[in-house]
Amino acid sequence: MVKRQFGHRARLVLSPAAVRAVDDQAHAARTMWNLLHAWWQMMPREKRTLARADAAIRQARQDIGFLAVLPAQAAQAVLKAYFAAWKNCWEGRADTPKFKGRLRTVMSVDIPQGRDLNITRVHRRWGMVNIPKVGRVRFRWTGDLPVGKYANEGNRITGARLIRDVLGWHIAFRVQTLQAPPAPHQGPEVGIDVGITVPIALSDGETHEHGAWLTGKEEAKLLHLEQRAAQRKQHRKPGEPTSRRLHHTYDLIAGLRAKAKRRALDWQHRTTTAIARTYGTVVVEALTITNMVKSARGTADEPGKNVGQKTGLNRSISGEAWGRTVTMLTYKTARLGGTLHKVPAPGTSQRCSACGFTTPGNRESQAVFVCKNPDCGWSGNADHNAARNVLHLYRMGLPLIPAAGRAVVRRAKRVKPATAR
């Protein structure tokens, strides 16, 4: 049996009083982090220990009244997360921990003990969960959870985290299960080419496309809200705080964008699940997306060209979220017994999949590929041609990820800051 850990996120249905209670806990958790950060900077290096920090937050919970709304275990989770952040910084996996501002920080509260949740299913679509110092609340039941008679030592919920976005409060369960290793997937091999006009093109001729994430009325409403926010921002004097009306407009804009993101996530999950179930070996390009979306503005001495067009292209690339698609395919193929491989990306869109002739002139347009080799002359869809080239590179033996199906992330080593310890 193999231990598998994953998360499951569900929407909470809270009363106004419960919303205020959870908001207070989230603000207390953020304040606890900031107090720890200030304590860390003031303390000498030799006194920055976990025991001293634990004593400091216990004293703070006694001296500062509003910190008592945060459960003791949630406060301990903040302490462990802060020390883990410094450890990630020392090992080169993240930057140094910073102060958490009120407006720029995601509101969240950790529930480290799964036994405190006491989850029950009351309806086909609803469940009940216990939130410390809040009480019993409903959540949307969208997936099977190991609760009740299905819970045991190997299959259980180890904890949860409350997270707030522009659409309300959600709960993310941490689930641990024991499963038998999947049998090797006997499906065929497939190459994938990602794009903007055609989001996903497969080497066997299939395509996966989507429409606009917002309806016509929603797009018109979003444009109207953005224009209203720009007008209200013009009337604000330098240094003057943002008005409540402008904040309300920003919240409406964020709500529409969050709705579009949810629809995009749903499409990506459905599409990647269908691909992982159908094909045993999935081959994608090793794209460096951060370099692809760099600005073309240039410098004052050497200004860039076609800056507006490049900005629109960067926005379209970021909207398709190619990296998230590859991440979903990576863990879904491994879960179903398949494998995912990456191959070098240069030349896949300019190479003829029939004869191998490579030249920039082969790409007649965004959608049409015509081979310029006099002895070939093959023509077809450009996206399917690139997908076939991706699969051909894998068959030649050029994968960048081993057959285990897990990506290896390499990060540059960073020098430890002088004041880190």
Side-chain angles (χ1 to χ4, degrees):
M1 304 295 288
V2 178
K3 182 185 294 185
R4 175 170 164 255
Q5 296 180 348
F6 61 95
H8 177 77
R9 183 164 173 165
R11 177 169 58 89
L12 289 174
V13 181
L14 301 176
S15 64
V19 170
R20 288 193 298 269
V22 181
D23 286 349
D24 292 342
Q25 290 189 15
H27 288 306
R30 180 184 56 84
T31 304
M32 186 72 71
W33 174 283
N34 293 335
L35 291 175
L36 278 171
H37 189 56
W39 175 88
W40 181 277
Q41 292 177 328
M42 291 187 299
M43 277 291 173
R45 185 176 302 177
E46 62 275 4
K47 293 185 178 181
R48 297 172 181 171
T49 62
L50 187 62
R52 291 178 182 272
D54 181 57
I57 65 172
R58 291 177 184 271
Q59 187 64 35
R61 283 170 54 82
Q62 296 178 3
D63 297 341
I64 305 175
F66 75 90
L67 292 181
V69 301
L70 186 67
Q73 292 181 348
Q76 293 293 323
V78 174
L79 174 61
K80 293 180 181 179
Y82 185 78
F83 271 74
W86 273 114
K87 183 178 180 181
N88 292 333
C89 173
W90 295 332
E91 296 178 357
R93 294 193 296 267
D95 294 331
T96 58
K98 298 179 181 179
F99 178 87
K100 290 188 176 182
R102 182 183 179 92
L103 298 179
R104 295 181 177 270
T105 303
V106 178
M107 299 177 64
S108 62
V109 181
D110 196 73
I111 306 176
Q113 299 294 336
R115 62 173 178 268
D116 298 336
L117 298 173
N118 192 17
I119 302 171
T120 56
R121 187 172 185 177
V122 297
H123 188 263
R124 182 171 62 90
R125 296 184 177 180
W126 297 101
M128 297 289 290
V129 60
N130 182 67
I131 298 179
K133 292 195 174 184
V134 176
R136 302 285 291 173
V137 298
R138 289 194 305 163
F139 69 93
R140 188 74 169 178
W141 193 282
T142 56
D144 293 333
L145 297 173
V147 297
K149 63 180 181 180
Y150 301 103
N152 50 50
E153 188 63 27
N155 301 280
R156 57 194 178 95
I157 295 177
T158 59
R161 190 174 186 85
L162 306 177
I163 305 171
R164 183 175 184 177
D165 59 13
V166 294
L167 299 178
W169 277 100
H170 299 75
I171 183 168
F173 298 105
R174 292 188 287 269
V175 185
Q176 174 184 306
T177 61
L178 285 178
Q179 298 179 353
H185 200 301
Q186 302 299 327
E189 301 172 345
V190 67
I192 296 179
D193 177 70
V194 293
I196 297 174
T197 305
V198 180
I200 296 179
L202 306 183
S203 57
D204 58 2
E206 293 189 7
T207 58
H208 295 274
E209 303 180 23
H210 60 77
W213 303 125
L214 295 177
T215 63
K217 291 184 178 180
E218 291 171 341
E219 287 282 359
K221 183 179 179 181
L222 179 60
L223 178 60
H224 175 68
L225 291 172
E226 291 175 343
Q227 292 174 348
R228 181 190 298 176
Q231 292 172 357
R232 289 177 174 174
K233 191 175 180 180
Q234 289 178 353
H235 295 287
R236 188 180 60 177
K237 298 179 181 179
E240 185 180 359
T242 305
S243 65
R244 290 186 178 181
R245 289 184 177 181
L246 184 55
H247 271 305
H248 179 66
T249 305
Y250 285 152
D251 291 341
L252 294 176
I253 293 173
L256 285 174
R257 290 177 177 173
K259 184 181 294 185
K261 184 178 179 181
R262 281 193 173 188
R263 292 171 181 171
L265 276 172
D266 179 71
W267 179 85
Q268 282 185 309
H269 274 293
R270 293 176 183 272
T271 303
T272 53
T273 299
I275 294 175
R277 288 176 176 174
T278 305
Y279 303 97
T281 301
V282 180
V283 189
V284 298
E285 296 175 301
L287 299 174
T288 308
I289 302 176
T290 54
N291 294 337
M292 298 175 64
V293 296
K294 284 185 177 180
S295 175
R297 185 174 301 174
T299 61
D301 299 331
E302 298 181 359
K305 298 180 180 179
N306 299 325
V307 179
Q309 291 85 337
K310 185 62 168 65
T311 302
L313 177 62
N314 294 345
R315 189 180 296 112
S316 300
I317 293 175
S318 300
E320 292 299 332
W322 297 336
R324 190 167 60 203
T325 300
V326 174
T327 301
M328 292 180 181
L329 284 172
T330 301
Y331 75 80
K332 289 182 180 182
T333 52
R335 185 187 304 173
L336 296 174
T339 56
L340 182 136
H341 302 271
K342 291 183 180 180
V343 297
T348 54
S349 62
Q350 301 174 356
R351 179 183 180 274
C352 177
S353 60
C355 67
F357 182 71
T358 305
T359 180
N362 283 344
R363 196 73 179 259
E364 285 281 332
S365 64
Q366 181 65 28
V368 180
F369 183 94
V370 178
C371 183
K372 300 301 181 182
N373 186 358
D375 298 332
C376 179
W378 180 86
S379 63
N381 184 274
D383 300 306
H384 295 155
N385 176 77
R388 284 192 287 268
N389 288 329
V390 169
L391 181 60
H392 176 72
L393 290 177
Y394 163 73
R395 290 173 174 173
M396 289 176 58
L398 297 177
L400 299 183
I401 291 183
R406 297 191 59 172
V408 180
V409 180
R410 299 180 177 88
R411 295 181 182 270
K413 294 184 178 180
R414 298 182 182 177
V415 180
K416 297 179 181 179
T419 61
R421 293 180 177 174

